[in-house]
Amino acid sequence: MNFHRTITGMSPEPLSASGSEKLSLPSLQSKMKCDPEGYESELHLIYNQFKSSLELFKQQADLGFKSVSGIRNDPAVAKDLGDRAMFLAHVTPFYPTHLAYFPAQLAEFIRSSARTLPSGLCLHVTQALILLMNRKMVDMGDNLALFLELQTFGNKALRKLAYSHVVHSIKRMNQKHKNEVKNRALQNVLFEMLRQEDETKAKRVLITLRELHQRKVWFDERTANAICTACFHPSSRIMIACLSFLLDYEKFEDDDSDASSSEDEAPHTPQIVLNRESIYKAHHQGTIASKKKKKAKLQRAMRSMKKQQRLSSEKSNSNYHTPLNHLKDPQGFAEKLFSRLQTCNERFEVKMMMLKVIARTIGLHRLILLNFYPFLQKYIQPHQRDVTSLLAAAVQACHDMVPPDAIQPLFKQLVNQFVHDRSRPEAIAVGLNVTRELCLRIPLLMTEDLLQDLALYKKSHEKAVSIAARSLIGLFREICPSLLIKKDRGRPTNPKARPKAYGEVNVLSNVPGVELLEEDDGNEDGDDADEASLSGTDDDLDHDEMVASSDDEDNQIANSDSGSEEDSIVAEDVDSDGSIDDNDSDVSGDEDDEEDEDDEDEEDEENESNNNDAKDSGTGVKDNKAKKRKVADFDKQLTDADASLRALKRLAKENMEPISLDSTDGFLSNEDFQRIKELKAKKDARFALTQHGLLKKGADSKSPAFKIPNSDELSIKRVDPAKLEVHVKKRMSKEERLALVRAGREDRGKYQARAAIKQKKTGGMSNRQKEHKKPMPLAAKRAKVAKSRIDKKKKQQRAGKQFRGKKAWK
């Protein structure tokens, strides 16, 4: 049976028509997808309706037609046009030949009439075009400029739709692999629009490029250089947007990483504070079960801390990515931006942003821009606005390739203006912290007299000043202890340490970290050693007592033995670990000689005490006389033994050459490099635990107080202005103090006496009242009844015998 199909509008209520099948556009769309060939006539009908609606809409726009309601375009025509455009976009993949020109007509319509279209119609038509692009019916490169132009319109929903479509389509295109041909074509379109003087379009292009670079979709040098060149745009708003992105790039990275890893790291955070007090409690306080739980918590916390340290070391050792790091000509970029800074008339905040970007570029690429430091010098004043940010930029712009003479005036200006007796404590603290950071990068700036004067601030009563001075002293204990007085040197790890001269470079003669591979024997596990170092139990004391007692017994046996004196001297010169001391080695020097003399004096005292003990113990007189010798014979034997030890040491040095990693070719394999990486991470973790007081130093007692970073790490590291004024207690105003007091009173109720609170209690009974009503056991009840019976009987007995006196009425 043949039915004539009637097409209605988008309304779900079809029109009534006798002898015909009523279909709406959504139902017809689903049927056309199931049977494309059976509905070709309906497709031609709707396509013709779309064309007619399009022409009618254009004519209304040209003639300025106004309907009865006063709206510029007839809403019925606009609604009909939007519905049919969306319908045709859905069925275009099923009719590629019939609707071959439809995508081009739709794109041309949006391009020509987008600004005059109503907001609803423009949004519908844009959605239809996006649907065609998602189904590969329209090329992205042909319409990229159109979607960027749509982002400049006033419709917020349309701007958001166009922006999200551009970002997600490019991200989807590069999801599996990088399509360099399409990426380069799209980049050319965006870069050309970014160079135009149109501020609105350039801003939208910059936002798009920034988003794609942050998401690591376009993470190449071309995109980074295009973003950086936006700093020279004629519009100041574009320049400010680019500068803020370059400065806050690390903050964006940290926020993304924190947001992504917060869910993963949340259940693994340790629930115990790692300090010496918790370690002591875990081993010496509580029962055996509680101490066992505390030890387990400590071990879990240590493993978590090691993991975090390892991840942070891997992150710091990985390639550092920032748009400034991919500059093709960093020297030209810094010079051009500095020249614009000198000639611009922008407000102070914009100048500070430009100054920070220049300093960041100089420090990151280790550039030489000598005119930059005198420009900074005139701003080095304690009363300068945002002086800590300015000082952080000055520190960032210093590196070991800059001549110290170029920074010396800036350094003197800093010390003279900030660090003196009449300066405020917070200014002195900031000046000392900045001095430390500058000397960390260029140690040649510091002189002996100046350092000793600055070190006197360690006795200041202000906490921030004393901490800053002690940190400066700690730095020079590591890099140049000779500049400090003897009292401030402490016990430096290398007393003869000197800073490198200007231009001096340490050339590596071997693979970095190969000494860790040589020292690693592969038999001991570092994690077990670290956990064992935390177990400061009484077993260690017992073990030490046993070792000491065994040593005393061995000494008594050795003293009572009648062996040769040469063997005893050789045994005394041999260390406990089996190594032999060389008193004449060039490396040990005078210190070893002094130590050997002290050891000989101690040995003589021990021998005298042992001889006296032997005399007092009542042993044979012949044995004591046999042990007596002349002094000349003893010195001769000692000299002969010393000569034999030197020869033995020299022979050991000749025979024990350093064993190569691979006896055949000496090359390192991939497993060796991976092992070096693991050992470095483990070493950093042990250092971090030692710094927190969680590990015993042991043999590595001369480990440095802190790890001095190299020049590459300092160039990558970003100087935080807040750390330059750390421990500085800022003075609060009266309003701030009152606000702090009121904030503390919010959670606290009105003061009342404890008795009044008890009287006003409206809840249940107290614990003491509940104890009275608690049911007693049966045995306790019987005991109470028996006790009361006995007490009653005794009371009656006392009452019968007691004389109460005669009564008057008897």
Side-chain angles (χ1 to χ4, degrees), residues 141-157:
D142 299 337
N143 298 289
L144 179 60
L146 172 62
F147 277 90
L148 290 172
E149 187 177 358
L150 291 176
Q151 297 180 31
T152 62
F153 293 168
N155 190 358
K156 185 177 180 181

Side-chain angles (χ1 to χ4, degrees), residues 33 86 98 112 117 189-190 217 244-245 247 250 293 345 358 375 452 460 485 493 515 545 566 591 623 675 741 774 791:
K33 290 180 180 180
M86 185 63 70
H98 298 81
S112 60
L117 292 178
V189 176
L190 293 176
V217 179
S244 62
F245 171 67
L247 290 175
E250 292 87 355
K293 292 180 180 179
N345 294 323
I358 295 170
F375 181 81
Q452 293 178 6
S460 175
I485 60 176
T493 56
E515 65 276 0
E545 293 176 358
E566 294 182 3
E591 297 179 358
D623 296 336
R675 183 60 180 165
V741 170
K774 186 180 293 184
D791 293 341

Side-chain angles (χ1 to χ4, degrees), residues 73 123 195 374 387 448 541 572 765:
N73 297 105
L123 189 63
R195 286 190 290 267
V387 67
E448 184 176 359
L541 300 175
E572 289 168 357
M765 295 182 296

